[in-house]
Amino acid sequence: MSENLFDSIKEKEQPLAERIADQISNLIIDRQISPGQKLPNEFELAKQLNVGRGTIREAVKLLVARNVLEIRRGRGTYVAKHTGVIEDPFGFAYISDEMKLAYDLLEIRLQLEPWAASLAAERATPADLQIMEDACNEVDALCRLGKNYLKADERFHVSIARSTQNLVVPKIIPVIIYSVHQLGPMNFASPDFSHTLEYTIETHHQVLDAIRRRDAQAARTAMYDHLIINRATITEKET
């Protein structure tokens, strides 16, 4: 009885648009609508959830702000690529000491990513390995052309995180992504930029090869070495 009373009070306190946003989220989960797939249109949702189209629009705006949905102009509403993962969830953009932030993010990555690489070596599927290899080769090609490789670098690290088959690790991806982009401009501005690129290419391939061989310890070591090189870049900037 008390539980029903609590639920009733909670429902009354929650605005209608919030409740409908929750119902749309549940619909996405129940129907297993994958990232990138289209949601039913506004009229269909209003009919299914028994509310007005204005309420649906408010609920969709809430879910867009939470990165659950994205609106593609002229095409409709889609489930966001990184569903529910906000680009800067920890407010890193508001930290003024960028050098300290980059260093501290790497401290976290040094704990997380070598472990993730070792798990990927044990659990990656053939499809995972192909995505990883494509990203690695793209980084290689862009580096050798002297072009910005950060997006491809991001895909490489994200593909390893997903290959762990761990439900939590991909949720920490924003930390990895932010650190990759944080370090990029520092590397580009480095007087020893070409040397850094060679190390990036070499250590990426070492990580990939170890994961492909299913050698968890070698994958852990290779990823650690890769991140240590990044840390050395920051240390050089501080001196």
Side-chain angles (χ1 to χ4, degrees):
M1 173 108 180
S2 60
E3 288 184 4
N4 291 336
L5 178 61
F6 176 79
D7 291 340
S8 177
I9 293 171
K10 183 180 177 182
E11 185 172 310
K12 286 180 180 178
E13 289 177 346
Q14 192 178 32
L16 179 59
E18 287 277 3
R19 298 205 303 272
I20 297 304
D22 289 343
Q23 289 182 39
I24 293 173
S25 294
N26 290 333
L27 182 147
I28 292 168
I29 295 167
D30 293 342
R31 296 188 184 179
Q32 297 183 332
I33 304 175
S34 302
Q37 287 188 329
K38 190 175 181 179
L39 214 60
N41 65 38
E42 188 179 281
F43 178 80
E44 291 171 335
L45 285 173
K47 187 176 180 180
Q48 289 177 33
L49 300 176
N50 196 30
V51 292
R53 293 169 66 179
T55 302
I56 294 295
R57 283 193 288 272
E58 288 182 51
V60 167
K61 286 179 182 177
L62 290 172
L63 293 173
V64 168
R66 298 168 190 168
N67 201 39
V68 174
L69 298 175
E70 61 181 32
I71 297 172
R72 301 180 188 176
R73 192 172 297 277
R75 296 173 61 188
T77 304
Y78 293 75
V79 177
K81 184 178 178 182
H82 301 299
T83 314
V85 178
I86 302 170
E87 186 176 346
D88 185 16
F90 303 114
F92 291 145
Y94 296 94
I95 297 176
S96 58
D97 191 340
E98 293 185 358
M99 197 71 71
K100 179 70 163 60
L101 174 61
Y103 196 92
D104 287 354
L105 282 169
L106 264 173
E107 281 191 342
I108 301 298
R109 291 181 66 191
L110 278 164
Q111 300 302 313
L112 173 66
E113 288 198 80
W115 168 75
S118 69
L119 278 187
E122 297 171 354
R123 302 175 180 177
T125 66
D128 291 332
L129 291 171
Q130 187 60 58
I131 294 170
M132 212 179 296
E133 183 175 353
D134 290 345
C136 184
N137 289 337
E138 187 178 358
V139 172
D140 190 327
L142 290 172
C143 283
R144 295 189 189 283
L145 290 171
K147 295 184 177 181
N148 190 322
Y149 62 92
L150 294 181
K151 281 289 185 183
D153 194 18
E154 173 187 321
R155 282 193 291 276
F156 180 69
H157 287 276
V158 168
S159 67
I160 292 171
R162 288 179 175 156
S163 296
T164 64
Q165 314 305 332
N166 182 295
L167 292 175
V168 177
V169 173
K171 299 300 182 183
I172 311 173
I173 285 176
V175 177
I176 299 172
I177 293 174
Y178 201 95
S179 183
V180 167
H181 288 283
Q182 184 82 4
L183 288 168
M186 295 180 190
N187 287 341
F188 291 143
S190 171
D192 201 18
F193 181 47
S194 60
H195 191 54
T196 301
L197 287 184
E198 286 300 326
Y199 273 125
T200 296
I201 293 168
E202 181 182 347
T203 52
H204 271 192
H205 281 289
Q206 287 172 357
V207 172
L208 175 63
D209 290 344
I211 293 174
R212 192 189 286 120
R213 295 195 316 269
R214 306 294 181 182
D215 188 335
Q217 184 54 52
R220 181 188 292 269
T221 301
M223 180 61 80
Y224 183 83
D225 291 344
H226 171 66
L227 295 173
I228 285 294
I229 290 166
N230 282 328
R231 189 171 70 175
T233 301
I234 299 174
T235 304
E236 287 171 7
K237 295 288 180 187
E238 290 181 312
T239 56

